[in-house]
Amino acid sequence: MDLRLPDELIALLAATGEEGEDRVHGERGGTGTTTPTRDLTPPLTVAPPVDDLLDNVGGWGPVTTAVGVFQLVPVRVERDLALISRWMNDPAVAAFWELAGPEAVTEAHLRGQLEGDGRSVPCLGVLEGTPMSYWEIYRADLDALARHYPARPHDTGVHLLIGGVADRGRGLGTSLLRAVADLVLDHRAACARVIAEPDLRNTPSVSAFLSAGFRFAAEVDLPDKRAALMVRDRALRAVL
């Protein structure tokens, strides 16, 4: 995995004549960590924090879909925990996410991502100003999933749940999956494929992915489920 060095360290190496300058300046991307913001006197500056592994999901902005204006908003535990935990305790959701229980269960799941290296970003899906879904945008090529299929560099995965019962069964999932896959492909130039692995038993979810332009690639045995590997190819974006 590439490492991003702080700007101050790069400047120090250049000033002291450390060998390997070309190698240092060629290291881009990173581990998902960001350079801490500091008060520095000119001429030194520090770049704003960047979501290195997923190209700043929080900055992708809103998009207009067939069902309204939609935006991915990165989760803040203090603001969003109660809502997401309530969704996780819906029996229809709990059957596949297995995160039912007290808020601490959901909180541990969220913090595991938020305090990690940035390879997975939990988000609220906000439609017409109302949070109505939960998403995880993740680096499938850096995930344990990559041991179970022929992963390619920068494969980007999506997990989704629709929160409210009233929002299910009326095509929202299909429209939003297509929109989110398009957001990934629009903002992650290095990503050639969007990946998903819904439980094979979750027929409505598999159907929504198919309707959103994903293709069924394989059945995959994962530690916790037998999954349908779904793929949205950049190369087929215009025809599916």
Side-chain angles (χ1 to χ4, degrees):
M1 186 183 300
D2 292 339
L3 297 175
R4 179 188 175 105
L5 297 179
D7 293 343
E8 301 99 311
L9 180 56
I10 293 174
L12 179 61
L13 291 175
T16 56
E18 287 280 344
E19 63 176 317
E21 179 179 359
D22 290 341
R23 175 179 57 80
V24 169
H25 285 283
E27 289 176 343
R28 305 301 295 271
T31 63
T33 57
T34 56
T35 304
T37 302
R38 300 177 183 175
D39 292 328
L40 299 174
T41 56
L44 293 178
T45 59
V46 175
V50 180
D51 181 354
D52 288 333
L53 293 182
L54 282 161
D55 298 300
N56 192 24
V57 174
W60 290 358
V63 291
T64 300
T65 75
V67 294
V69 177
F70 178 79
Q71 185 168 2
L72 291 172
V73 178
V75 164
R76 287 184 7 219
V77 171
E78 65 277 9
R79 178 192 64 197
D80 306 322
L81 177 58
L83 176 63
I84 299 172
S85 180
R86 186 167 76 245
W87 290 342
M88 292 298 183
N89 278 278
D90 182 314
V93 172
F96 298 105
W97 283 77
E98 299 181 346
L99 289 172
E103 287 187 358
V105 175
T106 298
E107 181 175 2
H109 180 75
L110 296 173
R111 290 197 184 278
Q113 297 171 83
L114 295 170
E115 297 172 3
D117 61 6
R119 70 183 63 192
S120 182
V121 178
C123 297
L124 286 180
V126 179
L127 182 62
E128 291 292 307
T130 300
M132 46 71 65
S133 53
Y134 171 74
W135 300 75
E136 292 171 356
I137 311 300
Y138 68 98
R139 284 287 297 270
D141 60 325
L142 303 179
D143 189 78
L145 174 65
R147 297 196 292 268
H148 300 275
Y149 83 104
R152 299 178 188 173
H154 295 280
D155 277 355
T156 303
V158 296
H159 295 143
L160 160 69
L161 71 83
I162 302 294
V165 174
D167 288 327
R168 301 175 197 158
R170 56 190 187 94
L172 285 180
T174 293
S175 295
L176 299 183
L177 280 168
R178 184 176 290 275
V180 168
D182 284 341
L183 279 169
V184 171
L185 296 174
D186 286 341
H187 292 276
R188 301 210 66 238
C191 172
R193 307 188 302 177
V194 183
I195 305 294
E197 21 79 29
D199 193 307
L200 268 175
R201 299 170 299 158
N202 194 346
T203 303
S205 179
V206 174
S207 177
F209 278 103
L210 290 170
S211 298
F214 287 73
R215 59 180 174 84
F216 174 78
E219 292 187 12
V220 182
D221 284 315
L222 302 179
D224 57 345
K225 64 184 177 182
R226 186 162 181 80
L229 181 68
M230 311 299 296
V231 179
R232 177 111 188 265
D233 301 278
R234 181 185 293 277
L236 301 177
R237 183 178 180 185
V239 297
L240 290 177

